[in-house]
Amino acid sequence: MTKPPLTLTPDEMRRAGYAVIDRIVDHVATLKDQSPWGAGEIPAPNPFDAPPPQKGVAFDEVMARLDRDFFPHNLRVDHPLFYGFIPSPSNFIGVLADALASGFNIFGGTWIGGSASAEMERAAFNWVREAFGFPGAAFGLFTSGGSAANVIALAVARHAKLTGDMATARLYASSETHSSLERGARILGFKPEQYRKIAVDDDLKVDLAALKSAIEEDRRNGLQPIAIIANAGTTNTGAVDPLNEIAALCEREAIWMHVDGAYGAGAAFSARGRRALAGIERADSVSFDAHKWLFQPFEIGGVIVRDGKTLHEAFNVSASYLRDTKTLGRGVNFGEHGIQLTRSARALKFWMTFQIFGAEEIARAIETGFEMAEAAEAAVRKLPHWRVISPASMGILAFRAAPEGWSDEAADRLNAAIAARSRAEGRDMVVTTELKGRVALRICPINPRLSKSDIEGTIGRLDEAAQAAMSQLNADQPG
Ligand SMILES: Cc1ncc(COP(=O)(O)O)c(C=O)c1O
């Protein structure tokens, strides 16, 4: 008997599934023995660059190819010593939940498509609402990530605040704000001059006086300030803008306050994070990323809007072919609240992780991130030749080798050389950034599997790399 297309027998499915689980478990269990850089870039020529096979290939053969060509050649963003960019220290329950959401192929766009999925997402957003101190009328949804969450928030802000000609609208954000906001503004049709980048103070937080005077200037010129974007942990340094002051300004000026918490707002699920983010409860909208500091595998971000019905108003569009979702649905259609109609049951991984580990363990895992950045700062401060450029803030530290007598430019080269040596050694994943015009190393040690001795080991190795790079650069100096 011939099988229907694209099917496997139950035994074949189980065998393939166990082989997949074995791969994932081996990956997770051996992470510490791997390099956070993985096995390096994929070698040329591109091994995938071939027409699709006309006849299917055996599962084991395909997996063997992936073992060779695919899995090794990606960064290990879930490795404890992965400090670059923003790590994604995911958890195994989240991974399994993704497999379940995908295996059952749950449609999370309408209530009738997945009433349990919709109710789970609503329940999960009650937790989010409480973590941020938002009122009962708030409403939010999970998104693919922070970028999507930020675009949704800007669209709601425009819907709520814009009157008349869109060309007169103005958005304000510090120069340290994540590029996804500027891109989001562009996607929504704002011109570059409508997105005003405000200077930052020495702590790389928005300069309130500059923000106020930009708004006054725009008002004088007949323009409409519609939204201020405040940071709850910038990507570069974890800077938190003065949320209470910005909230007061927004209230006084009737401007929308959006908090980009894609990096930091997840920390509000811990007592320490809530203290660090005081004032977030006054925002009109907050974005956050569960695939960062809430330990989920990609892709899950979220956005919550204080007055939930404006989110619906901004995104709801009727369509005749969806009329039964309105007449039969007894609950929320999440697809009417954002960009995606078809969307998976992202809430499942978030909800399952809280069920299995509990809110206390998650809070503890978040607080580890604060402590590891502080431990790294303490270790750096003990070393000669090093300077802290931006103290530990929301789990991020920036620092730089700056030996006495070295010019700023020479120290820039030195720090780039330290990062290159560290990369060549492969034990730690550290990248450089530019702060106040100078090259610095930046680490984001939020993986809860990281220990104080791990982080001290990393700083020690960076110092060794600095010593070697200093000798090398000194030797290269002419004369
Ligand atoms: C502060 C901040 N905002 C927005 C984003 C964009 O989020 P995503 O990469 O999930 O789209 C990031 C990503 O690192 C971020 O750090």
Side-chain angles (χ1 to χ4, degrees):
M1 202 177 77
T2 55
K3 278 193 298 189
L6 309 181
T7 50
L8 301 177
T9 66
D11 277 349
E12 285 168 338
M13 286 192 276
R14 273 183 231 288
R15 219 176 71 74
Y18 295 148
V20 168
I21 287 291
D22 283 345
R23 295 294 190 294
I24 301 172
V25 173
D26 286 348
H27 162 73
V28 174
T30 63
L31 259 180
K32 272 208 162 177
D33 309 323
Q34 304 178 39
S35 164
W37 292 93
E41 277 181 18
I42 188 163
N46 177 353
F48 310 116
D49 211 358
Q54 291 305 310
K55 300 272 180 237
V57 178
F59 185 82
D60 289 348
E61 206 177 306
V62 173
M63 289 305 280
R65 273 189 69 191
L66 296 176
D67 286 340
R68 190 189 62 212
D69 296 333
F70 188 74
F71 300 125
H73 305 295
N74 302 293
L75 296 184
R76 303 310 196 215
V77 295
D78 43 359
H79 193 292
L81 306 188
F82 186 101
Y83 304 108
F85 314 116
I86 308 285
S88 179
S90 69
N91 82 90
F92 191 65
I93 294 299
V95 172
L96 293 183
D98 258 356
L100 289 167
S102 171
F104 283 83
N105 210 13
I106 297 158
F107 184 84
T110 59
W111 198 86
I112 64 160
S115 55
S117 168
E119 291 305 322
M120 182 181 278
E121 188 156 353
R122 229 164 47 76
F125 265 85
N126 282 333
W127 308 344
V128 173
R129 187 169 59 67
E130 275 172 25
F132 296 160
F134 265 38
F139 191 83
L141 77 164
F142 289 116
T143 62
S144 56
S147 300
N150 283 330
V151 180
I152 291 173
L154 291 183
V156 183
R158 178 176 63 182
H159 175 82
K161 294 294 179 188
L162 181 71
T163 52
D165 182 4
M166 178 166 151
T168 63
R170 291 294 180 273
L171 307 166
Y172 306 83
S174 89
S175 55
E176 285 291 307
T177 301
H178 192 268
S179 53
S180 60
L181 275 307
E182 190 176 349
R183 183 185 295 124
R186 194 194 296 172
I187 292 168
L188 292 172
F190 291 99
K191 298 249 161 46
E193 66 273 17
Q194 293 182 267
Y195 180 89
R196 291 200 60 173
K197 288 188 192 170
I198 309 297
V200 288
D201 62 17
D202 282 350
D203 297 331
L204 301 167
K205 300 174 181 188
V206 71
D207 178 336
L208 267 180
L211 176 61
K212 285 179 191 161
S213 72
I215 291 170
E216 281 163 19
E217 178 190 88
D218 286 344
R219 289 236 195 262
R220 272 198 309 278
N221 291 329
L223 302 170
Q224 283 187 74
I226 62 168
I228 298 176
I229 295 140
N231 288 296
T234 57
T235 317
N236 242 345
T237 64
V240 178
D241 287 333
L243 300 179
N244 271 310
E245 287 81 352
I246 293 174
L249 178 62
C250 286
E251 284 158 17
R252 207 166 51 242
E253 297 275 343
I255 296 175
W256 187 274
M257 175 178 178
H258 173 59
V259 172
D260 177 17
Y263 168 61
F269 277 88
S270 73
R272 190 140 180 210
R274 265 194 302 282
R275 283 197 302 278
L277 299 175
I280 199 169
E281 69 283 356
R282 295 170 70 182
D284 292 297
S285 55
V286 178
S287 55
F288 64 99
D289 252 342
H291 61 211
K292 294 189 168 83
W293 214 347
L294 286 169
F295 315 113
Q296 298 304 317
F298 303 138
E299 303 179 355
I300 179 169
V303 58
I304 186 163
V305 177
R306 163 177 229 83
D307 175 12
K309 67 179 187 321
T310 51
L311 175 64
H312 190 247
E313 279 168 17
F315 281 94
N316 184 35
V317 178
S318 295
S320 55
Y321 40 82
L322 291 177
R323 73 185 283 280
D324 289 3
T325 68
K326 304 261 191 199
T327 53
L328 301 179
R330 286 192 298 105
V332 171
N333 291 324
F334 274 89
E336 294 169 2
H337 292 77
I339 297 167
Q340 289 178 278
L341 171 59
T342 299
R343 55 201 293 281
S344 69
R346 287 198 182 95
L348 187 61
K349 53 184 165 183
F350 191 81
W351 186 88
M352 270 184 80
T353 301
F354 274 85
Q355 299 304 313
I356 301 293
F357 295 112
E360 272 177 31
E361 189 163 326
I362 291 168
R364 186 70 218 111
I366 293 168
E367 299 209 345
T368 308
F370 284 94
E371 290 158 15
M372 290 303 120
E374 283 156 4
E377 179 179 344
V380 168
R381 288 197 189 279
K382 281 193 201 130
L383 296 170
H385 311 313
W386 289 88
R387 257 191 333 119
V388 168
I389 301 297
S390 168
S393 173
M394 301 293 293
I396 296 180
L397 173 76
F399 52 108
R400 152 180 167 99
E404 196 127 334
W406 286 55
S407 69
D408 285 345
E409 292 70 25
D412 283 350
R413 287 192 291 278
L414 173 60
N415 284 277
I418 295 168
R421 279 178 182 271
S422 166
R423 187 164 64 244
E425 202 199 27
R427 297 271 301 279
D428 307 283
M429 198 288 179
V430 177
V431 292
T432 61
T433 184
E434 223 178 273
L435 286 174
K436 301 175 188 170
R438 302 264 65 105
V439 178
L441 304 179
R442 173 193 162 285
I443 59 169
C444 182
I446 57 165
N447 190 314
R449 272 79 63 173
L450 190 65
S451 70
K452 193 156 172 259
S453 67
D454 287 333
I455 194 106
E456 287 169 354
T458 295
I459 301 298
R461 284 189 291 278
L462 289 173
D463 191 42
E464 282 163 24
Q467 308 289 345
M470 279 157 67
S471 315
Q472 173 76 48
L473 290 173
N474 272 331
D476 291 349
Q477 297 288 330

